[in-house]
Amino acid sequence: MPRNEWHAWSDFIGLFVATGYLRGELAQSLLLVGDPGEGKSAILHRFFEVPSIIVAMDATAEGLKQQVFRRAIKERKRHLLLPEMYKLMQRRGPTADNTIGILTLAMSGEMLDSYIGALQMDEFPKDFQLGVLGAMPSKIFEDWRATINNTGLLSRMHPVQFRLSAELRERIRQAIAKRDKVMLAPVRFPWPSEQVDIKYPHHLSSSVIRMADEVVREATGQHNRLIDLLVCLVKSAALLEGDDVCKEKHVDMVSQFVPMLRGDKPKSKK
């Protein structure tokens, strides 16, 4: 798991990607929020070649229904990657609202029971559900937070502050100047060829709840969703480690990412 700050973020995103390979679980959604030029899109680009991912640089509601979803069903994709998700939010009015609404339905697995226009596909598979991995500048996120909350989108995806240390930002700046693209190399995680059953023993529940309390202590509906997310991430850690049963070590692997889930500022080296 985490080797340095850049790889730590890659591993963190990788856990979310791996939830798409868990049989019986929803593919979990993640939103990276940060300043322009921080590297959000660059790090997501490392996952473009993952078999379970479909990439869209922009989309509308009809584009999602008629193209993205059809391809996702045909090719058994589990995540939609939106490295410039802000473009969806910048279409004001009904166009943006419809797109957000469709994404919310897809993330919740409710497309099968939704009737949303004449061009809607006649039938979705019963298990159709699509997680979203997106990135958005902080200002646009804040401007649209109320709109997103009103549609329920934020209840379906976990927003995190994507912030890098001054040292890593300088390293990235030097890499750009040198045309060094090593940090942008595609991830090479051991993705399975199909969905996998991962057993989750009940005795791990207390450890997962303690971890959730480290992220946010307020016991709300969102807290319950956080617990569900953490269980999925623990199962993802087991999957990526080649285990078919979750263990305490997998909880420990996920707990390394509590600062990211909590939105802590990166610590600079002294």
Side-chain angles (χ1 to χ4, degrees):
M1 280 282 174
R3 291 146 281 170
N4 60 42
E5 188 182 348
W6 184 254
H7 286 110
W9 274 106
S10 297
D11 290 343
F12 177 65
I13 297 167
L15 285 177
F16 277 81
V17 175
T19 62
Y21 290 97
L22 300 173
R23 184 173 287 118
E25 299 286 359
L26 297 180
Q28 297 294 316
S29 299
L30 174 69
L31 177 63
L32 303 181
V33 180
D35 295 336
E38 191 76 9
K40 304 179 298 297
S41 297
I43 202 164
L44 288 178
H45 196 280
R46 300 193 69 205
F47 294 86
F48 276 23
E49 298 180 12
V50 177
S52 64
I53 283 178
I54 182 170
V55 179
M57 303 307 293
D58 196 1
T60 62
E62 290 307 314
L64 290 172
K65 289 187 292 181
Q66 301 307 316
Q67 298 182 57
V68 173
F69 293 167
R70 289 183 187 276
R71 182 181 165 196
I73 292 170
K74 181 179 179 181
E75 300 177 15
R76 301 174 68 184
K77 305 291 188 180
R78 291 303 312 279
H79 273 102
L80 171 62
L81 197 155
L82 296 167
E84 298 184 2
M85 193 172 177
Y86 70 91
K87 291 182 178 179
L88 281 64
M89 308 302 167
Q90 287 184 322
R91 292 190 179 92
R92 300 188 179 275
T95 300
D97 293 343
N98 289 342
T99 303
I100 293 170
I102 290 295
L103 278 178
T104 304
L105 289 171
M107 285 190 287
S108 62
E110 297 172 350
M111 291 298 299
L112 177 65
D113 300 316
S114 301
Y115 304 92
I116 46 178
L119 296 179
Q120 176 63 33
M121 286 187 291
D122 293 334
E123 183 177 354
F124 280 88
K126 291 183 179 180
D127 61 350
F128 178 77
Q129 184 265 338
L130 205 60
V132 173
L133 305 170
M136 190 180 299
S138 301
K139 186 178 186 308
I140 295 178
F141 176 73
E142 292 303 327
D143 289 345
W144 280 88
R145 182 186 281 272
T147 300
I148 294 172
N149 274 330
N150 289 340
T151 63
L153 181 66
L154 271 187
S155 69
R156 296 295 179 184
M157 67 190 317
H158 192 87
V160 299
Q161 288 294 322
F162 185 80
R163 291 178 288 206
L164 305 177
S165 66
E167 290 83 2
L168 182 54
R169 288 200 301 271
E170 176 59 24
R171 180 182 168 192
I172 292 173
R173 194 168 74 102
Q174 293 291 332
I176 293 172
K178 296 176 182 178
R179 288 298 185 262
D180 180 355
K181 299 184 179 181
V182 172
M183 295 174 65
L184 302 179
V187 295
R188 300 299 181 197
F189 288 8
W191 311 114
S193 57
E194 57 185 18
Q195 288 191 319
V196 179
D197 284 313
I198 302 292
K199 296 179 182 178
Y200 173 77
H202 292 170
H203 72 266
L204 296 179
S205 60
S206 57
S207 296
V208 169
I209 290 174
R210 282 196 299 270
M211 183 162 47
D213 289 340
E214 289 184 46
V215 178
V216 56
R217 294 190 175 278
E218 186 178 0
T220 64
Q222 286 298 95
H223 190 271
N224 293 339
R225 289 188 183 277
L226 176 61
I227 293 173
D228 184 65
L229 166 64
L230 292 174
V231 171
C232 288
L233 296 183
V234 170
K235 294 176 75 171
S236 289
L239 182 150
L240 293 177
E241 289 289 305
D243 296 318
D244 59 4
V245 178
C246 294
K247 303 173 184 176
E248 198 69 44
K249 69 174 183 178
H250 302 125
V251 177
D252 293 339
M253 289 176 184
V254 175
S255 68
Q256 297 177 78
F257 302 107
V258 164
M260 294 177 180
L261 290 164
R262 197 165 48 205
D264 294 355
K265 292 183 178 180
K267 297 179 180 179
S268 298
K269 296 179 181 179
K270 295 182 179 180

